Amino acid sequence: MAYTRLRVLALEPGETHTFECGDAEWIVLPLAGACRVRCAEPVREGPPAAETVIELRGRDGVFTSVTDFAYLPRDGHAAITSPAGGRFALAGARCENVLPARHGPAREVPVELRGAGTCSRQVNNFAAADVFACDRLIAVEVLTPGGNWSSYPPHKHDEYQPGRESRLEEVYYYEIAPHGRIPGLGYQRVSPSPAGKTDILGEVRTGDAVLIPDGWHGPSIAAPGHDMYYLNVMAGPSDQPRQWLISDHPDHGWIRDGWPAQDTDPRLPFYRAEDATR
C-alpha cells in the first residue's frame, strides 16, 4: 500500500518491541492488554529531545471496552513494553509533518451507533478525521453483532472530488468472536469501481487483514452467533485535506432511506466510552 501501514504485535510478558517510525506517523492501539510506550521524538538540531513515556491501560479485548492509545510522530524512535503481555495494533500512515507524541484517553473516544436493523453497528471514532489530530492517518474501530451486515451500503473513497469524496487507501484488520471453542468467521466484499479493479470476496477470521487500495467495499458480514470487530486504517496523498468523504454504490444507497423507521439492534452498544475502567 502506498500510504497506509498496519502491524499487529503479540508480546510475551515483559517483552519489548522497538521500531523506527520512519516516514510514517503511528498510533499504538491495545487490542488486549496494557503496555508502556516510550518515544524519542525527532530532533532537527541541538541536544537530544527528552523521551516521552505513555502508559496505556488498554483493555481485556476488543469486545469488552474502548481503549486508550498513543500517538507517535514520524522520524521518532519507539519502544513498546507489555508487563503482562498482550496484542497491540500499530496503525500508521506516511506523512510530512511532525506532530507531538501524546496520549489518547479512552473516555474521550466518541462511540457512535450507525445504521439500523440488520445493518446496525458500533463505531469507535478514536482517530476519526474530526476527532483526533493526525497529519494523514484516519483510524476507527467497528463492531458488528453476529448476523448483521456492516460497511453497508457499499461505498468507496478512491477519487478525490473536493467536497464530495476523498481518495483514501484502507486496511481492514479483523477479530471474530468465537462460540465456545468454535472459531468465528465472516465475509468481506470489495468490488471494482470506475477508479480501480480490486475484486475480493473473502472469508475472514481473527488475525486476517484485507487491503483496499480502491473499489466499492462492503458488506462486511458477521456470521450469526459470531460478533465481528474490524480496525479501519486509512490514509491518502498529501495534496488533499484529511477528510473521510464517501460515495455510496448507486445500486445500494437506497437502503439508508429505511433506517429512520427501524430500531437500532438492541445488542448495541457493546460498551460505552464512559464505562472504560482499565
Side-chain angles (χ1 to χ4, degrees), residues 55-203:
E55 299 284 350
L56 295 182
R57 294 169 64 88
R59 55 186 165 184
D60 293 330
V62 297
F63 295 105
T64 62
S65 72
V66 293
T67 183
D68 54 352
F69 58 95
Y71 174 88
L72 307 178
R74 67 162 288 162
D75 297 325
H77 174 79
I80 303 170
T81 303
S82 180
R87 290 180 296 104
F88 307 92
L90 305 182
R94 286 180 54 194
C95 66
E96 292 72 39
N97 297 308
V98 177
L99 279 63
R102 60 199 188 278
H103 178 249
R107 288 179 177 266
E108 295 182 9
V109 174
V111 174
E112 171 191 2
L113 300 186
R114 192 177 294 174
T118 56
C119 292
S120 301
R121 61 270 201 186
Q122 173 178 330
V123 184
N124 300 336
N125 289 300
F126 70 96
D130 58 348
V131 169
F132 187 82
C134 298
D135 188 35
R136 305 306 309 164
L137 177 64
I138 299 172
V140 302
E141 300 179 300
V142 181
L143 296 104
T144 306
N148 285 7
W149 282 28
S150 196
S151 284
Y152 199 77
H155 58 280
K156 75 180 186 76
H157 39 69
D158 56 11
E159 297 178 281
Y160 179 43
Q161 303 178 48
R164 296 179 53 198
E165 183 179 334
S166 305
R167 181 187 169 199
L168 297 168
E169 293 178 340
E170 188 162 15
V171 180
Y172 277 54
Y173 166 78
Y174 306 86
E175 297 204 359
I176 313 295
H179 178 73
R181 296 183 179 180
I182 302 172
L185 58 84
Y187 294 89
Q188 177 67 51
R189 179 71 173 119
V190 185
S191 55
S193 69
K197 299 181 179 180
T198 303
D199 193 351
I200 299 169
L201 176 57
E203 181 178 295

Side-chain angles (χ1 to χ4, degrees), residues 9 11-18 36 78-82:
L9 305 177
L11 298 182
E12 296 295 327
E15 185 178 2
T16 297
H17 174 79
T18 61
R36 176 180 299 111
I80 303 170
T81 303
S82 180

